Amino acid sequence: MARITPARLRKVSTTSSGDTAPASNWGNRGVPKKLREQVLRRDGYRCQLRYDGCIGEATEADHIVNVASLGVARAQAVQPVGLQAVCVPCHRVKTQAERTAGIARHYAQRHRTDEPHPGLL
Ligand SMILES: [Zn+2]
């Protein structure tokens, strides 16, 4: 059995390019530039969310339904019909809310306590 030495740990936690990229791409909601421009033009470069703090001018494309909650591959979700033009402040608010909901959902699935183990009955 191989012992995990600090040196080994360092080796696994650094990427080949040497940067400090996070292990998961959760929250990376990048939309291809061409598609984003298509969505922005369709929505007239106006933010579709209009949350508090909205600046009105949309520069980003947002997934109307959060990709993570759809449970589909990102490639399937990236279509103009599932996207809307949004401004930076609104996008940040929506992304944060979706991330919080995603974490809560993840936690609920992993820590169910409502069903007692059959062996304990
Ligand atoms: Zn906005």
Side-chain angles (χ1 to χ4, degrees):
M1 187 184 185
R3 280 183 59 212
I4 298 175
T5 64
R8 275 177 84 98
L9 284 173
R10 265 199 302 280
K11 199 172 182 181
V12 249
S13 60
T14 32
T15 61
S16 53
S17 52
D19 57 34
T20 54
S24 86
N25 67 348
W26 194 5
N28 176 7
R29 300 158 51 78
V31 174
K33 195 180 176 211
K34 197 176 162 189
L35 185 60
R36 185 178 67 228
E37 282 170 0
Q38 198 180 330
V39 171
L40 289 172
R41 209 173 306 126
R42 184 200 62 197
D43 290 343
Y45 294 87
R46 304 303 299 168
C47 177
Q48 305 299 300
L49 291 173
R50 314 296 296 178
Y51 292 159
D52 281 352
C54 183
I55 59 171
E57 187 193 355
T59 53
E60 301 189 350
D62 170 64
H63 293 101
I64 294 169
V65 180
N66 181 228
V67 177
S69 57
L70 280 174
V72 298
R74 182 169 296 275
Q76 289 175 269
V78 176
Q79 290 166 16
V81 72
L83 294 162
Q84 63 188 345
V86 295
C87 72
V88 174
C90 287
H91 201 185
R92 195 177 300 141
V93 170
K94 187 165 186 265
T95 303
Q96 189 58 52
E98 285 169 348
R99 191 169 304 176
T100 306
I103 291 165
R105 196 164 49 237
H106 175 75
Y107 228 74
Q109 283 167 0
R110 287 195 46 165
H111 300 273
R112 276 185 302 198
T113 52
D114 51 337
E115 275 180 68
H117 191 282
L120 296 176
L121 292 174

